[in-house]
Amino acid sequence: MTDRYWIAVDMDGTLLNSRGQISERTCAVLQKCLDQGHHVLPATGRALPLLPEKIKNLSGISYAVLGNGSVVWDWKKTCALYKKCLPEGSAEQILKDVRERYRVHQEKAGKESRYYAEVISDGKVYADSLDREYFLTAEIEGNFAEYMLSNHAYVKRLEDQSEILKKAEKINIFFEDVLLSKKIREKWQKVKGIYTTTSVAGNAEFTAEGINKGRGLAILKERLAIPKEQIIAIGDNENDVEMFKEAGISVAMENAKDPVKQQADFVAADNDHDGAAEFLEK
């Protein structure tokens, strides 16, 4: 049906509000789109287990772009149409480099801060068991601790788990020190075979070179012969810009930074006021 859209929509900072929740209004609008024959395409840095339950419970989703494009998921057949892992050995190098740079940065800064790593490998999400102990007792603002304690498999010394790391599709590291996050992204942006981006303040995300949400969306366009003008892309951060380029209509959230807004055709209301839902309603 040529009058039906493919709606590629980000999760964090877009569908999810600042408390990490999706409103009933947003869910209702997405379900209405699906019922009308449009295609809702989750396009996120998250792995499948970390998608919000309200998204998983929508009826009629066919595909998803996961792990910033490292996986294109066939929702109905429950299998990957496409998957690209990090180059061999690079996951260990990234985690060890982050640990050493963190140590040096701590000595220079002279103040306490932490970082937390998660690794998406073969569709599962892994984190270090020492972080789990911290999240169980620490008082952390927002829903971050809840996020890290849900649907993560915790292992001892994550950076030494070679069987997990050799199948890593994406590494996501959250830094309490935003400056350290920026420095590490800048360093790894220069490393051949690696692509880095960010989706929330203070995080650094690593995939194989050439892998991003735009590439994931392009794979679906090619396989399903989807015209560009029938694609709407909605997002809020740096890791959404590449998928804006693959869409006929691109929408940035009001809570996005100015460089992201400048890459979009439209700016919707912010994620705390159902901006994505309001745009789709209109």
Side-chain angles (χ1 to χ4, degrees):
M1 293 181 284
T2 58
D3 60 342
R4 298 299 186 254
Y5 284 99
W6 288 75
I7 305 164
V9 63
D10 173 52
M11 298 290 119
D12 298 279
T14 301
L15 291 188
L16 278 68
N17 60 26
S18 57
R19 300 182 303 279
Q21 300 170 343
I22 300 179
S23 72
E24 294 300 327
R25 176 187 179 187
T26 292
C27 288
V29 169
L30 293 175
Q31 188 60 64
K32 184 176 180 180
C33 289
L34 288 162
D35 293 342
Q36 291 177 344
H38 303 293
H39 302 270
V40 173
L41 178 71
T44 176
R46 295 186 178 214
L48 187 66
L50 298 180
L51 287 182
E53 289 302 315
K54 287 184 177 180
I55 294 296
K56 294 179 183 179
N57 291 334
L58 292 174
S59 176
I61 294 179
S62 299
Y63 301 95
V65 174
L66 305 171
N68 278 345
S70 59
V71 172
V72 179
W73 187 255
D74 188 319
W75 200 278
K76 294 182 178 178
K77 293 183 179 179
T78 63
C79 66
L81 281 178
Y82 172 87
K83 180 167 70 172
K84 178 73 172 180
C85 294
L86 283 156
E88 185 176 355
S90 61
E92 290 94 335
Q93 292 172 6
I94 291 167
L95 292 176
K96 290 177 181 179
D97 178 65
V98 167
R99 181 190 62 186
E100 180 58 22
R101 284 173 172 266
Y102 167 78
R103 183 188 65 79
V104 173
H105 184 80
Q106 285 287 91
E107 291 177 355
K108 291 182 178 180
K111 61 180 181 180
E112 181 70 21
S113 70
R114 297 178 65 96
Y115 74 89
Y116 320 96
E118 62 179 9
V119 175
I120 300 175
S121 175
D122 204 21
K124 297 180 181 179
V125 190
Y126 297 89
D128 196 288
S129 55
L130 289 178
D131 289 337
R132 182 177 185 275
E133 294 175 13
Y134 176 74
F135 292 131
L136 286 171
T137 58
E139 294 184 5
I140 301 175
E141 293 184 4
N143 70 321
F144 184 68
E146 179 184 350
Y147 165 83
M148 287 297 295
L149 289 170
S150 301
N151 296 313
H152 284 68
Y154 281 88
V155 295
K156 187 176 181 180
R157 289 189 62 85
L158 178 61
E159 66 184 50
D160 293 337
Q161 298 289 333
S162 58
E163 289 302 309
I164 292 172
L165 297 181
K166 73 180 182 181
K167 297 179 182 179
E169 300 148 15
K170 179 192 165 190
I171 294 177
N172 188 19
I173 302 180
F174 302 92
F175 297 89
E176 292 181 349
D177 190 316
V178 175
L179 179 61
L180 178 57
S181 168
K182 182 179 179 182
K183 287 181 177 179
I184 287 175
R185 292 201 314 273
E186 288 174 347
K187 186 260 185 179
W188 281 91
Q189 282 169 357
K190 302 172 185 176
V191 177
K192 184 175 175 59
I194 303 296
Y195 176 77
T196 68
T197 188
T198 183
S199 62
V200 296
N203 90 320
E205 304 185 8
F206 304 82
T207 55
E209 186 175 3
I211 295 300
N212 52 64
K213 291 184 186 181
R215 176 59 184 149
L217 189 52
I219 289 169
L220 274 180
K221 281 172 63 179
E222 294 162 7
R223 291 206 178 199
L224 304 177
I226 306 168
K228 181 176 181 178
E229 59 269 21
Q230 288 178 229
I231 298 176
I232 300 171
I234 309 176
D236 75 302
N237 219 312
E238 182 181 309
N239 66 332
D240 297 310
V241 170
E242 289 90 352
M243 81 170 178
F244 285 176
K245 298 173 184 177
E246 297 293 333
I249 300 172
S250 55
V251 185
M253 305 297 288
E254 179 58 43
N255 49 286
K257 295 178 181 178
D258 286 342
V260 176
K261 293 179 186 177
Q262 291 165 6
Q263 297 293 322
D265 300 315
F266 300 94
V267 176
D270 66 50
N271 62 323
D272 283 326
H273 293 87
D274 295 313
E278 181 181 72
F279 181 86
L280 292 173
E281 286 171 337
K282 291 180 179 179

